[in-house]
Amino acid sequence: MTQRILFLGPPGAGKGTQAQLLCASRGLLHLSTGDLLRGEVKAGTALGQEAEAVMARGELVSDQLVLAIVRGRLSGHQGGWLLDGFPRNLTQAEALETLLTELAQPIERVVLMELDDDLLLQRLLGRGRADDNEAVIRHRLSVYAEQTAPLIEHYNQQGLLVAVESSGTVEAIAERISAALD
Ligand code: AP5
């Protein structure tokens, strides 16, 4: 069974929702850099203070900071994992590849969750997280298009990418993802 998975997709595509379900059913570590950063903000750590304003604007937190978090979580971990929201740009993807080579734990599959912008906006406006107002969502979408979308071709060239249509019910999407992974 596929054990080392990366979820790629725009804000609101359902990465976090589907990652929780898949990790529960396969016993994988769910590593969401967004959740980890929000945890730091909530705890008021120095790292959280640095990240808070950047996240509120819908921009990317520094690569160095995010890489330190991921390295710390993956290094001692035995077993499978799912990376959700990381990597976000080519610099992070290359640093991840270096780390995974060191750990002898290559990525097995990259799931691209695809959804129209109108539906993304609708879902996120319905959630109401601190960075879920229309102006910031539109900015997150443009940051995704400029910085994260180039990873689609990056992983496609490596033969790792599988695209999953991410409209419909949570259950229907979960079935599509499971089918794409097996
Ligand atoms: P992050 O937390 O990663 O947010 P995101 O990518 O913008 O994604 P979201 O959490 O908004 O959406 P999702 O795809 O996970 O969808 P979800 O399941 O929640 O990043 C936030 C910020 O942190 C970034 O802007 C950046 O500042 C920083 N950051 C994070 N990682 C970073 C990194 N690597 N480098 C630098 N900075 C980083 O679903 C969305 C909503 O839709 C929910 O309300 C959900 O209930 C609903 N929903 C889900 N599925 C369905 C469905 N099938 N039908 C109807 N509603 C649904």
Side-chain angles (χ1 to χ4, degrees):
M1 202 194 297
T2 315
Q3 291 276 296
R4 293 186 298 276
I5 302 162
L6 202 152
F7 272 7
L8 191 61
K15 303 181 296 296
T17 304
Q18 294 298 331
Q20 277 184 15
L21 293 174
L22 193 67
C23 287
S25 72
R26 297 192 176 206
L28 307 176
L29 170 72
H30 178 195
L31 210 161
S32 157
T33 45
D35 285 349
L36 291 170
L37 288 166
R38 281 184 288 278
E40 298 284 341
V41 170
K42 201 170 169 199
T45 63
L47 195 154
Q49 284 170 16
E50 193 182 327
E52 188 169 15
V54 180
M55 293 173 78
R57 288 197 300 271
E59 287 166 12
L60 296 184
V61 173
S62 84
D63 293 335
Q64 208 184 0
L65 207 154
V66 174
L67 283 164
I69 294 181
V70 173
R71 177 177 277 277
R73 299 280 163 153
L74 281 188
S75 292
H77 178 71
Q78 304 292 326
W81 39 256
L82 191 162
L83 301 184
D84 158 15
F86 175 89
R88 275 306 226 269
N89 57 31
L90 281 167
T91 305
Q92 292 183 10
E94 283 160 9
L96 176 65
E97 274 148 37
T98 305
L99 172 64
L100 296 180
T101 302
E102 271 172 38
L103 299 175
Q105 290 186 15
I107 298 167
E108 292 177 286
R109 191 65 83 217
V110 177
V111 176
L112 170 65
M113 298 190 63
E114 296 183 306
L115 194 65
D116 289 346
D117 280 7
D118 286 351
L119 276 171
L120 297 172
L121 193 69
Q122 204 178 308
R123 281 188 188 175
L124 293 176
L125 287 174
R127 178 174 60 183
R129 204 170 70 192
D131 56 348
D132 283 342
N133 65 73
E134 184 161 350
V136 173
I137 294 168
R138 290 200 184 279
H139 188 54
R140 283 158 60 200
L141 289 171
S142 72
V143 169
Y144 174 80
E146 284 162 25
Q147 301 193 44
T148 310
L151 296 179
I152 297 170
E153 187 48 29
H154 178 77
Y155 289 118
N156 196 26
Q157 278 178 4
Q158 296 181 19
L160 293 173
L161 196 82
V162 58
V164 172
E165 161 60 34
S166 298
S167 61
T169 64
V170 169
E171 295 73 21
I173 301 161
E175 280 176 22
R176 279 176 224 148
I177 291 174
S178 280
L181 286 172
D182 290 328

